[in-house]
């Protein structure tokens, strides 16, 4: 009880004994000694502490040992404030693992082992050797390995670590060590480190422990390097991964990092990643930051492989394409464009597997695994995702793990968390087969879209627009006859036929049509949303001519008419332009069909829709025959009468249309400056009308101009424009 | 200043947390201003301790000064160790009029008459609580100042708070206390905790108890006003009632700090009776995991921590 | 012990009533404050309840409630249970676009997945929307408030040419047919 | 190459939309705030109106009750006049009077009850659905309210105290044994005596410390305040310190039962003047007595 209630009591008894020995000495001498000590302290307590730890001999009592306490305190202060130098680390690590004092002390030291710059490889080796001696307590061993994992990327070089791969491997049999050892091995494994008996061992373990994620991942990696040895098949999406949440270090390290985040990595001799990640040392502490490229600096003896980080520039890359050595930390690839270029050139499956794994793992850990969204986290997350986005832009294709993550994330998304990034990523995903596009994309998006704010709606439309753009671009790039491989990087390359692609595109366009219709309705035909929608249709109307995807899809009435009757000239103008482009596509499609060397068929329905729209436009704007039967929007006579609008048919012609009336008035004043009363109808008279239209064009309504010139050149009525499309 | 004194001092200094050290020593008033200033409290404790020792040498202080220091610290920080409370019963008339002086005298006399080697130190605290420090020896050995007993008693009240009392000394203490406080006998009240003031407040009703009143305070007096006129809490009344009930049961404002409470459910067959409680509707269903987990976890010792019903450190058998 | 009815009272002009049901009250309060702050042109009245049924004392002075929001914390089993109980106190009319679930902690991998699954089943069986929220951050709360408010305005008939039923037919939760995309872990 | 990997143009649109949303939010917040202030002002106005109305009502009520009392006064010598009048209107009048009487009585009773409460009679509240009652005993000294103490009594079978907040040094057990079962009201009154006396004694000490700071010093007092020792210096030819020990053996009184005067010169206590003072201290509250002495210029 008393022990529990205050632990201090115990060591008081002990130490009082210690003191009783010491107190034999005269107090004079004591004070002298103390003065001397003071002087030393003045020099540097930290060095003293290190000295102490390097020299303290086995079995020194630690309970109530004030000297020890004091030194630990000193080290603690230094470690947590500016981190420990490589030498300090070696000393302390050795002291801790040699367990010269109690294991409590060992744990205590390990906990504060925060490197300031790098960790010397030798220290780790030493540590592993202590591991082999095996007088360490199990939990201490685990702690040690976890520490190594945490600071893995700070180890100045890893060649010797690789050399003792076998030793490390031997620990997988330790039940409680296994997960962490596997992780460590995963980071160290290279082709030559794979041996049949190791594979066998792992398989045995798997039989014993069941399909543990950490074993699976290691085996997967083995399979990549030497498929002939590993017969297993792995699910395309493996869950979990190596869990190594040790917040204490993370926090401490990132804190230290924050304080002196000046280019610590200079001693890592890295040129590439420096620019992207000025303080990329933070990476491990929050999975979110990107490791610097550091693969093994090679011993002279070994093959002539060239570590990636030694690449100078693009030409250099090209020369050495054949003998590039990939870094231990695949994540680091993200940071470095050269590396990415390399990956892009040589379709190295293992590289992609590992990169994908790393990505999937961090994404999952960080966004789908209880991470309360604090502003600081979010800042990191944003940075990370932005880098990911730019990477994908560079490779011009999404990673499969990103997709998997996105599909999961969409289902639990609140629509605001990291909106920009998420939508950005989403717009990069490879073409989704029409069979599942509804489930993985549309349903979650719909839920968010209709409940969220106007701005979110706009963002979604924008996102889908750029998604469509990418798909079309891919198509126009990889437009092989019937077999275009879109997701090059994805783990399971899905070959997509042209028809497949077209189905997906149709799905997408129709989806946007639907949500835009309802969205506009809900938002009261807000101009902003309308303009984003028109953006989208500007892409759509060019599908055939610009990206030669044999497809023409008209906007739904729910989009067309709001645009036509919009209160701002810009919308109407853009609509005109879009219609003009549609016309162009349809005309050329007709030609194609006529010459029929590339037979493809656009349904009559499309033509009908198009004509319908043109007719209503012309009726509205030119013929002052709005709301007439045969138009998309008909209104019963009596209803119109009841609205008490005089000559309501003409209310939407180029003069009275709310979008243009301003121009009309302006024009009227220019024409008849002397007139007192305003008579807009007089614009209709004779030449005036042509002048007026000219005036409108001169006001910068190009779309309108194009439309007029194409659809009703030589002042024919709309029907003609309809027929000549037929 | 002899070795034992030194040891005691060392021990005391070690017990006092560094941040408290300075003020405690100041209260002690055994060092001259100059000496006090000479102490550097940024140093590690063991250093300060050595310097302090030498200073004590200079003013050749004795053991009794040292114990004085310990007492000061204890009175300032009465959360050392666990306090046990016992209650004096059958008060005599004098109990209501007894004062410090004659209490101190009679207590010392009585105790000394019972045991030869014992050192008693009695101080009165501001809140007229009487603090007694007893270092016990026995007929052959000197009083052991490492394990002193502390007794706190408020005159006119029947309560006695004790910490660090060995079982063999209990009767002695009681025999000394009862007559000198003018009571008939003493009994254990089964109350203990680390926080002395809490125990005191609890027994002397110094915390704010709440009773049903004829004119209950209005709702908005207690529960914070709704932040906006358009927000209405449907269950405000209920919440208020619950609040009232809770307050009546446990009191209001700052409550006394108790760390543990022990219930012993003793019956021929606990599970049987619990089962009956539930089946007969005495206990509300669903059964709280606290009870149902007895058979499920296969154990009958549980610790409930702030993090909700948890498992005690020693894991039970796997079932 | 009376069912809560959506149509037993006349609506008030330019007023929308929303009921937030949460068995713990902290998120509820934050959300309520944000909601009333966000809306300017409609008179939004927020009612907070720990569970249903609502106390009968104030039944008659209570205006008609246009939207019922059940806040479910996946972190606590209790929250889910009490929601299930409360649901029984709603008249069927509410399930036609006048109620929704607001879920917190769905993103968190540590909560037992079966809770989310059972909640999803519930939502799907009731054809009701399932809104995920981040209750930790102000942005999260703002967004939640915004979304709930949008639904409220529609279900209170304040948005021309839109009804709650219409909206919920668009956004109600459906169990994905392709099991591959259900959250595995 | 770096640059274009870092910057991606279309990203801008999304983030711009984000910014826009933020702005919109801020704006609506500001509007909201002003709206709230406006409505608050209105509410306050309404509140003022309400209060005015209430005040007027109260005024009116006061008037009526006054008139009622006058009426009652009239009625007291009413009857004989009433006899002279005609039968039927007489009886109708008597009816009316009867009514008025009752009204008057009722208001009177109300006042009595209020008065009873105001002068520190104890509130009794029913608790636990009639299973118990909660008695609260207010203490006061010289017309100023002090603590209120509560007892919750279980009255199901035999009356017993379930809980209370009466300080431990009040001899509650003794009082309980005397007459809790037999005579509750008696029990309560004695208890309240004790409490009032205790509160009174403590209040006296407090007042001494507050009012006579500097001249009189409270040397010693205990939890129960039944022995208080104060020191003052007498203003004779030689300023002697005088030690007055007040002992209250009767715990139900706030006046001492025994006062002893001590001083260096042994003559002083027996001096007539100080005998007088002693008796003064015996029959008036300590602080007033000492105050008086001070004014009389006997103590500093």
């Amino acid at each position: 009880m008393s022990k529990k209630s205050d632990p201090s009591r115990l060591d008081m008894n002990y130490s009082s004994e210690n003191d009783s020995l010491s107190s034999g000495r005269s107090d004079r001498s004591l004070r002298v000694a103390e003065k001397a000590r003071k002087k030393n302290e003045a020099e540097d307590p930290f060095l003293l502490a290190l000295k102490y730890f390097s020299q303290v001999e086995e079995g020194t009592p630690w309970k109530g040992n004030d000297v020890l306490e004091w030194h630990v305190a000193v080290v603690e202060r230094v470690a947590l404030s500016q981190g420990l130098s490589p030498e300090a680390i070696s000393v302390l690590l050795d002291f801790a693992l040699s367990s010269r004092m109690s294991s409590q002390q060992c744990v205590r030291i390990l906990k504060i082992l925060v490197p300031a710059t790098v960790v010397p490889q030798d220290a780790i080796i030493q540590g592993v050797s202590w591991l082999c001696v095996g007088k360490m307590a199990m939990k201490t061993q685990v702690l040690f390995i976890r520490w190594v994992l945490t600071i893995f990327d700070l180890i100045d070089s890893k060649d010797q670590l690789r050399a003792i791969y076998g030793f490390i491997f031997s620990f997988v049999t330790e039940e409680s060590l296994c997960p962490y050892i596997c992780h460590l091995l995963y980071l160290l494994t290279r082709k030559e480190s794979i041996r049949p008996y190791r594979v066998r061992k792992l398989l045995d373990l798997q039989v014993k422990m069941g399909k543990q994620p950490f074993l699976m991942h290691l085996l997967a990696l083995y399979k990549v390097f030497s498929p002939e040895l590993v017969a297993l098949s792995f699910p395309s999406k493996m869950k979990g991964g190596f869990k190594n949440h040790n917040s204490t270090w993370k926090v401490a390290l990132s804190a230290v990092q924050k304080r002196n985040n000046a280019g610590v990595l200079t001693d890592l001799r890295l040129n590439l990643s420096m620019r992207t990640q000025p303080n990329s040392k933070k990476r491990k502490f929050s999975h979110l930051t990107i490791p610097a490229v550091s693969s093994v600096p090679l011993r002279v003896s070994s093959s002539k492989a060239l570590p990636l980080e030694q690449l100078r520039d693009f030409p250099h890359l090209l020369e050495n394409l054949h003998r590039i050595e990939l870094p231990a930390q695949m994540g680091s690839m993200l940071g470095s464009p050269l590396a990415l270029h390399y990956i892009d050139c040589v379709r190295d499956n293992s590289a992609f597997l590992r990169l994908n794994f790393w990505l999937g793992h961090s994404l999952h850990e960080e966004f789908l695994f209880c991470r309360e969204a604090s502003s600081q986290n979010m800042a990191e997350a944003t940075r990370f995702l932005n880098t990911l986005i730019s990477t994908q832009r560079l490779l011009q294709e999404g990673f499969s793990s990103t997709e998997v993550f996105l599909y999961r994330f969409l289902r639990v998304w609140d629509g605001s968390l990291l909106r920009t990034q998420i939508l950005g990523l989403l717009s990069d995903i490879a073409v989704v087969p029409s069979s599942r596009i509804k489930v993985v994309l549309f349903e979650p998006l719909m839920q968010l879209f209709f409940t969220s704010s106007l701005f979110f709606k706009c963002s979604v439309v924008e996102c889908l627009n750029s998604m469509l753009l990418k798909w079309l671009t891919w198509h126009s790039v990889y437009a092989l006859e019937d077999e275009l491989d879109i997701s090059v990087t994805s783990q399971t390359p899905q070959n997509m036929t042209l028809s497949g692609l077209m189905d997906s595109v149709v799905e997408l366009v129709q989806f946007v049509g639907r949500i835009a219709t309802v969205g506009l309705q809900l938002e009261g035909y807000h101009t902003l949303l309308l303009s984003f929608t028109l953006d989208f249709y500007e892409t759509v109307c060019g599908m055939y001519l610009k990206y030669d995807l044999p497809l023409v899809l008209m906007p739904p009435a729910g989009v067309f008419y709001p645009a036509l009757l919009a209160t701002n000239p810009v919308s109407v103008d853009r609509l005109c332009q879009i219609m003009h482009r549609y016309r162009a596509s349809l005309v050329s499609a007709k030609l194609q069909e006529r010459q029929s060397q590339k037979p493809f068929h656009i349904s009559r329905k499309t033509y009908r829709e198009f004509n319908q729209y043109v007719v209503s436009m012309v009726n509205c704007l030119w013929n002052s025959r709005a709301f007439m039967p045969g138009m998309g929007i008909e209104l019963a006579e009596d209803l119109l009468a009841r609205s008490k609008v005089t000559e309501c048919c003409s209310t939407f012609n180029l003069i009275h249309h709310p979008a243009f009336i301003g121009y009309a008035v302006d024009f009227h004043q220019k024409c008849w400056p002397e007139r007192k009363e305003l008579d807009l109808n007089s614009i209709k008279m004779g030449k005036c009308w042509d002048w007026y239209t000219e005036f409108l064009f001169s006001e910068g309504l190009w779309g309108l101009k194009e439309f007029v010139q194409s659809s009703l050149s030589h002042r024919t009525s709309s029907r003609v424009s309809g027929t000549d499309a037929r | 200043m002899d070795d034992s004194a030194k040891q005691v001092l060392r021990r005391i200094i070690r017990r006092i947390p560094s941040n408290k050290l300075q003020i405690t020593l100041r209260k002690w008033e055994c060092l001259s201003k100059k000496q006090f200033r000479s102490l550097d409290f940024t140093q590690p404790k063991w250093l300060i301790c050595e310097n302090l020792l030498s200073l004590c040498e200079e003013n050749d202080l004795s053991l009794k000064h040292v114990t004085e220091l310990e007492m000061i610290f204890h009175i300032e920080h009465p959360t050392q160790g666990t306090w046990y409370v016992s209650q004096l019963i059958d008060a005599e008339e004098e109990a209501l009029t007894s004062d410090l002086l004659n209490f101190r005298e009679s207590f010392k006399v009585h105790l000394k008459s019972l045991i030869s080697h014992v050192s008693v130190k009695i101080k009165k605290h501001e809140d007229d609580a009487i603090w007694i420090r007893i270092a016990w020896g026995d007929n052959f050995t000197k009083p052991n100042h490492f394990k002193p007993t502390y007794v706190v008693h408020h005159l006119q009240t029947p309560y006695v708070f004790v910490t660090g009392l060995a079982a063999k000394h209990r009767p002695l203490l009681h025999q000394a206390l009862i007559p000198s406080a003018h009571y008939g006998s003493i009994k254990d009240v089964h109350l203990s905790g680390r926080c002395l003031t809490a125990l005191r407040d609890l027994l002397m009703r110094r915390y704010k108890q709440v009773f049903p009143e004829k004119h209950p305070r209005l709702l908005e007096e207690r529960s914070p006003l709704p932040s906006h006129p358009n927000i209405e809490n449907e269950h405000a009344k209920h919440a208020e009632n619950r609040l009232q009930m809770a307050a009546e049961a446990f009191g209001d404002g700052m409550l006394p700090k108790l760390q543990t409470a022990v219930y012993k459910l003793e019956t021929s067959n606990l599970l049987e009776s619990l089962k009956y409680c539930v089946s007969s509707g005495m206990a509300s269903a669903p059964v709280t995991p606290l009870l149902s987990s007895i058979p499920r976890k296969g154990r009958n010792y549980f610790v409930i921590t702030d993090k909700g019903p948890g498992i005690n450190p020693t894991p039970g058998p796997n079932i | 012990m009376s069912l809560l009815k959506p149509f037993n009272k006349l609506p008030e002009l330019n007023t929308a009533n929303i009921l937030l049901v949460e068995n713990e009250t902290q998120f509820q309060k934050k959300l309520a404050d944000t909601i009333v702050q966000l809306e300017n042109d409609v008179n939004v009245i927020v009612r907070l309840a720990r569970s249903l049924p609502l106390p009968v004392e104030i039944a008659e002075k209570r205006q008609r409630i246009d939207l019922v929001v059940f806040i479910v914390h996946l972190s606590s089993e209790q929250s889910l249970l009490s929601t299930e109980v409360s649901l029984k106190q709603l008249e069927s009319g509410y399930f036609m676009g006048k109620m929704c679930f607001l879920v917190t902690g769905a993103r968190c991998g540590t909560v037992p997945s079966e809770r989310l699954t059972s909640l999803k089943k519930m939502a799907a069986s009731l054809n009701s929307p399932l809104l995920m929220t981040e209750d930790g951050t102000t942005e999260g709360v703002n967004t939640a408030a915004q979304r709930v408010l949008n639904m409220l305005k529609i279900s209170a008939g304040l948005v021309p040419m839109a009804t709650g039923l219409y909206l919920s037919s668009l956004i109600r939760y459906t169990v994905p047919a392709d099991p591959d995309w259900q959250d595995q872990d | 190459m770096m640059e274009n990997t870092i910057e991606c143009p279309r990203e801008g649109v999304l983030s711009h939309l984000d910014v826009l949303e933020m702005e919109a939010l801020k704006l609506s917040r500001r509007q909201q705030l002003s709206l709230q202030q406006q409505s608050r002002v209105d509410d306050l106005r309404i509140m003022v109106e309400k209060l005015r109305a209430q005040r007027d009502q109260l005024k009116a009520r006061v008037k009526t009750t006054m008139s009622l009392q006058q009426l009652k006064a009239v009625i007291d010598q009413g009857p004989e006049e009433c006899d002279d009048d005609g039968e039927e209107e007489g009886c109708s009048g008597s009816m009316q009077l009867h009514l008025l009487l009752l009204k008057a009585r009722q208001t009177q009773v109300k006042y009595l009850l209020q008065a009873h409460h105001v002068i520190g009679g104890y509130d009794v509240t029913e608790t636990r659905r009639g299973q118990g009652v909660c008695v609260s005993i207010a203490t006061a000294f010289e017309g100023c309210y002090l603590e209120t103490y509560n007892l919750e009594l279980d009255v199901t079978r035999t009356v017993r105290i379930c809980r209370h907040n009466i300080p431990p040094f009040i001899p509650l057990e003794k009082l309980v044994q005397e007459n809790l079962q037999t005579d509750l009201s008696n029990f309560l009154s004695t208890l309240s005596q004790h409490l009032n006396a205790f509160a009174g004694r403590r209040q006296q000490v407090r007042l001494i410390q507050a009012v006579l700071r500097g001249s009189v010093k409270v040397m010693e007092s205990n939890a129960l305040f039944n022995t208080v020792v104060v020191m003052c210096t007498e203003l004779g030819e030689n300023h002697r310190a005088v030690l007055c020990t007040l002992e209250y053996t009767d715990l139900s009184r706030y006046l001492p039962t025994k006062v002893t005067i001590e001083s260096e010169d042994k003559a002083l206590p027996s001096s007539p003047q100080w005998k007088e003072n002693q008796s003064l201290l015996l029959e008036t509250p300590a602080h007033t007595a000492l105050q008086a002495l001070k004014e009389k210029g006997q103590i500093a």
Side-chain angles (χ1 to χ4, degrees), chain A residues 148-367:
Chain A
V148 173
L149 286 170
T150 314
I151 52 87
F152 184 81
D153 310 308
L154 303 183
I155 302 170
D156 52 7
S157 68
K158 301 175 179 80
D159 49 349
Q160 292 169 39
L161 266 177
R162 290 239 166 92
I164 60 165
Y165 190 95
F167 284 97
I168 300 174
F169 189 93
S170 65
F171 286 102
V172 290
T173 50
E174 284 290 354
E175 185 90 26
S176 44
L177 270 181
C178 185
Y180 306 106
I181 291 292
C182 284
H183 193 174
L184 186 54
L185 292 173
Y186 188 98
L187 297 175
L188 290 172
T189 303
R190 281 189 310 173
K191 185 147 181 44
E192 50 270 47
S193 41
I194 296 172
R195 301 285 159 69
Y197 60 87
R198 288 187 184 146
V199 178
R200 237 175 288 118
K201 186 95 213 134
L202 289 179
L203 291 174
D204 298 350
L205 278 173
Q206 200 187 24
V207 172
K208 204 152 98 268
M209 307 166 77
K211 284 190 183 300
Q212 299 291 352
F214 44 89
L215 286 172
M216 295 293 277
H217 279 293
L218 188 53
L219 279 165
L221 184 61
Y222 275 29
K223 189 186 174 100
V224 168
F225 279 123
S226 40
E228 69 282 3
L229 288 178
V230 187
L232 288 81
S233 65
F234 298 97
S236 61
K237 295 175 292 294
M238 273 194 284
K239 58 168 149 175
F242 305 113
K243 302 245 183 308
N244 186 23
H245 320 286
N246 35 14
S247 50
T248 44
W249 280 318
K250 273 192 189 183
V251 171
L253 281 159
S254 48
V256 168
Q257 188 39 235
K258 292 260 182 312
R259 243 177 256 109
N260 47 0
N261 61 354
V264 256
L265 279 167
T266 35
D267 20 13
L268 273 180
R269 312 180 316 284
L270 293 186
N271 323 328
L272 289 173
S273 57
M274 288 308 290
R275 281 170 296 177
T276 45
Q277 292 291 312
N279 56 354
S280 53
K281 179 159 163 279
K282 234 165 54 274
R283 58 191 176 273
K284 245 320 186 191
F285 323 148
S286 132
H287 292 273
L288 272 193
T289 36
I290 289 120
V293 180
S294 76
S295 56
V296 190
L298 299 133
R299 288 154 297 165
V300 200
S301 61
S302 79
S303 71
K304 293 181 298 309
L306 172 74
L308 196 50
E309 73 270 22
Q310 290 175 10
L311 280 178
R312 284 194 307 285
D313 48 15
F314 200 65
H316 189 213
L317 167 67
L318 293 181
E319 289 157 19
N320 302 290
L321 258 189
H322 55 290
R323 50 190 206 87
I324 294 290
E325 156 108 7
L326 284 174
Q329 264 293 317
M330 287 313 286
S332 59
M333 309 286 277
L334 285 194
S336 111
L338 269 185
L340 293 171
H341 278 298
Y342 169 72
I343 286 211
D344 211 15
C345 305
V346 292
R347 294 274 150 79
D348 175 347
N349 238 340
S350 80
F352 275 116
L353 174 66
R354 287 169 63 187
L355 190 45
N356 248 326
F357 160 74
W358 182 84
L359 245 178
H361 180 247
S362 3
L363 285 169
H364 188 276
E365 286 282 298
E366 294 307 320
F367 300 102

Side-chain angles (χ1 to χ4, degrees), chain B residues 112-131:
Chain B
K112 290 253 158 63
S113 69
L114 289 165
I115 177 172
S116 53
H117 287 96
V118 64
S119 96
V120 182
K121 206 164 172 54
I122 299 185
K123 268 172 85 72
K124 188 175 183 188
H125 188 40
E126 286 83 30
D127 67 346
D128 53 45
I130 296 176
W131 280 72

Side-chain angles (χ1 to χ4, degrees), chain A residues 605-645:
Chain A
K605 187 165 149 299
T606 315
Y607 287 109
R608 218 176 300 112
E609 274 181 307
F610 173 78
N611 287 329
Q612 168 87 65
Y613 285 155
V614 173
V615 169
S616 12
M617 276 178 85
V618 174
N619 276 343
C620 263
L621 300 176
W622 278 271
N623 306 352
S624 309
R625 285 210 240 106
F627 314 121
M628 285 293 146
M631 277 186 60
I633 32 173
E634 293 181 39
L635 282 180
E637 287 302 330
D638 55 338
L639 258 172
L640 290 171
R642 245 192 287 158
S643 72
K644 298 202 179 54
V645 181

Side-chain angles (χ1 to χ4, degrees), chain C:
Chain C
M1 205 57 184
S2 60
L3 286 179
L4 194 59
K5 298 193 183 60
F7 299 118
N8 61 346
K9 285 184 183 154
L10 291 174
E12 304 210 346
L13 188 62
N14 197 39
T15 305
N17 275 263
I18 183 172
L19 174 66
L20 305 179
V21 185
E22 179 195 19
N23 71 330
E24 308 140 38
T25 52
Q26 61 284 59
F27 180 49
Q28 203 180 37
K29 284 198 168 48
K30 273 191 283 175
L31 192 61
D33 293 341
T34 324
I35 289 176
V36 289
Q37 274 175 10
L38 277 178
E39 186 50 48
N40 291 348
D41 38 19
V42 178
N43 176 28
V44 176
I45 296 173
V46 186
R47 302 183 164 278
L48 309 176
R50 302 176 122 265
S51 66
L52 298 183
L54 300 178
V56 284
E57 301 88 71
I58 47 179
E60 60 286 339
K61 76 176 250 290
R62 183 184 301 131
Q63 299 172 357
R64 112 176 186 184
I65 292 169
D66 305 298
L67 182 67
V68 181
V69 180
F70 290 97
I71 298 170
V72 184
H73 300 290
L74 290 180
S75 49
S76 97
E77 185 71 31
Q78 192 47 44
S79 154
L80 189 60
L81 293 177
S82 77
T83 307
E84 275 170 2
V85 174
S86 299
L87 271 171
K88 297 188 177 63
Q89 302 303 322
L90 279 189
E91 205 206 43
S92 54
Y94 272 106
F95 299 109
M96 299 181 173
K98 283 178 173 295
M99 68 80 74
C100 72
F101 295 99
L102 205 59
V103 188
T104 73
R107 200 164 56 83
C108 169
T110 54
V111 304
S113 56
E114 53 273 14
R115 272 186 211 151
L116 183 55
T117 327
S118 59
L119 181 60
K120 282 177 171 173
K121 286 216 179 67
M122 208 195 301
S125 67
L126 297 170
N127 288 331
S128 51
L130 194 64
L131 275 58
M132 308 295 182
T133 60
E134 301 287 330
D135 56 340
T137 58
T138 35
E139 294 76 30
V141 178
N142 279 337
T143 318
Q146 181 69 69
R147 295 176 70 187
V148 171
L149 203 51
N150 289 343
M151 293 184 68
L152 173 63
K153 279 200 232 158
I154 291 170
S155 65
L158 297 169
V159 176
M161 299 191 295
T163 68
L165 188 54
Y166 176 39
L167 182 66
S168 73
S169 69
L170 292 169
I171 63 173
R172 67 199 165 79
Y173 182 82
T174 49
V175 178
D178 178 357
D180 188 14
W181 295 109
Q182 297 233 30
D183 311 356
Q184 292 113 320
D185 39 345

Side-chain angles (χ1 to χ4, degrees), chain B residues 1 11 18 23 26 35 38 45 59 65 68 75 80 84-85 89 99 116 128 148 160 172 236 261 277 300 309 312 315:
Chain B
M1 187 164 180
R11 180 209 177 87
S18 336
I23 41 176
R26 187 176 285 120
Q35 289 172 320
S38 76
K45 247 207 236 154
N59 325 3
H65 298 96
E68 173 80 16
I75 293 174
Q80 314 283 319
Y84 298 87
V85 189
I89 44 182
D99 66 354
S116 53
D128 53 45
V160 182
L172 300 176
C277 283
N300 59 2
N312 61 316

Side-chain angles (χ1 to χ4, degrees), chain A residues 58-174:
Chain A
E58 186 129 10
T60 318
W62 58 278
K63 285 176 174 170
N65 180 337
D66 291 314
V67 186
L68 171 69
E69 289 307 313
W70 186 32
H71 286 318
V72 171
V74 171
V75 171
E76 212 152 6
R77 209 176 315 113
V78 174
L80 297 185
S81 56
Q82 67 258 35
L84 300 169
S85 64
E87 307 70 38
I89 295 229
S90 329
V91 171
L92 291 170
L93 192 61
D94 190 51
F95 164 77
L97 299 185
S98 62
S99 46
R100 266 173 269 175
M101 287 190 186
S102 73
S103 59
Q104 285 95 318
Q105 298 308 312
C106 165
V107 171
R108 215 166 136 202
I109 295 294
L110 271 179
K111 280 213 157 71
I112 58 167
L113 223 49
V114 182
T117 57
V118 298
V119 178
Q121 177 174 230
D122 312 349
I124 308 292
I125 303 286
Q126 184 80 352
V128 175
S129 61
W130 280 118
L131 214 58
C132 300
V133 172
K135 52 189 271 196
M136 255 188 270
M138 181 45 72
K139 65 186 255 283
T140 324
Q141 294 183 20
V142 172
L143 197 62
F144 169 61
I145 297 297
R146 293 181 62 182
W147 177 77
V148 173
L149 286 170
T150 314
I151 52 87
F152 184 81
D153 310 308
L154 303 183
I155 302 170
D156 52 7
S157 68
K158 301 175 179 80
D159 49 349
Q160 292 169 39
L161 266 177
R162 290 239 166 92
I164 60 165
Y165 190 95
F167 284 97
I168 300 174
F169 189 93
S170 65
F171 286 102
V172 290
T173 50
E174 284 290 354

Side-chain angles (χ1 to χ4, degrees), chain A residues 488-509:
Chain A
V488 195
T489 63
S490 57
Q491 212 167 304
T492 55
Q494 40 171 280
N495 302 341
M496 194 155 234
T497 61
L498 175 60
S499 62
L501 170 68
M502 278 171 61
D503 292 346
S504 304
V505 170
V506 172
E507 285 280 354
L508 181 59
V509 173

